Amino acid sequence: MFSSKSEQNSQRPQAVKTMANPGGTFSVFGPDVTIRGDVEASADLHVDGKVIGNIACASLVQGEGSRIEGEIKAETARLSGEIQGKIEVRNLVVLKTAQIDGDVSYDTLTIEQGASVEGRFEPLRAKSGQPAKPAAEGKTSDGQPGLSLAG
């Protein structure tokens, strides 16, 4: 009786270790969590629940059933749920299940067919008024932000 419980407990940390990024940390808001207020994270953030407030983090992954009502600022983001608010992300992937209602600023952008966006797209460079940078990964030869459509 006791041995089976301790075996279950000894298996649990191993499962958590395999999910974590090697050498990095991340935070998860589960589907049963609602956050009211701004969220700031220096680590990666995975949102499966609901956030009513602004999010600022290094990297954001949004689950299909989640909802974010507020501004998103991140280096990278992979969005697949509902977003109502402005988005400023350097490397943005919008999956087919995403429903965005707000303006989107980006350096590189990938949108899967079927995604819904009600708003304007604007390169981050244009927003900040900075001159075009030399060609880099995800950008065209004239320094313009890259845009790709996924099938």
Side-chain angles (χ1 to χ4, degrees):
M1 178 192 304
F2 293 106
S3 63
S4 65
K5 189 173 183 179
S6 64
E7 287 174 13
Q8 289 173 349
N9 287 341
S10 67
Q11 291 175 356
R12 183 181 273 162
Q14 292 172 351
V16 172
K17 286 181 185 176
T18 59
M19 290 174 50
N21 295 333
T25 60
F26 67 98
S27 298
V28 178
F29 298 156
D32 61 333
V33 174
T34 298
I35 304 287
R36 295 182 190 277
D38 295 344
V39 176
E40 292 183 26
S42 58
D44 298 347
L45 183 61
H46 188 112
V47 176
D48 282 325
K50 185 174 184 178
V51 176
I52 303 170
N54 301 327
I55 296 177
C57 62
S59 179
L60 174 65
V61 175
Q62 181 194 30
E64 282 186 34
S66 68
R67 180 170 174 80
I68 298 171
E69 298 177 17
E71 185 175 311
I72 296 173
K73 288 187 179 185
E75 286 295 314
T76 64
R78 187 173 181 89
L79 308 176
S80 61
E82 294 181 45
I83 300 100
Q84 185 172 7
K86 185 168 63 168
I87 300 170
E88 289 184 25
V89 176
R90 290 202 182 280
N91 301 307
L92 178 61
V93 176
V94 180
L95 300 177
K96 63 184 175 184
T97 56
Q99 297 178 359
I100 299 172
D101 183 4
D103 294 342
V104 178
S105 299
Y106 63 92
D107 273 341
T108 61
L109 175 64
T110 302
I111 303 175
E112 281 188 344
Q113 184 176 353
S116 170
V117 180
E118 293 288 329
R120 296 183 308 186
F121 289 97
E122 179 180 40
L124 282 171
R125 168 189 60 70
K127 184 174 183 153
S128 65
Q130 295 177 355
K133 295 180 182 176
E137 185 177 326
K139 295 191 177 185
T140 61
S141 61
D142 63 353
Q144 296 297 315
L147 171 65
S148 61
L149 298 176

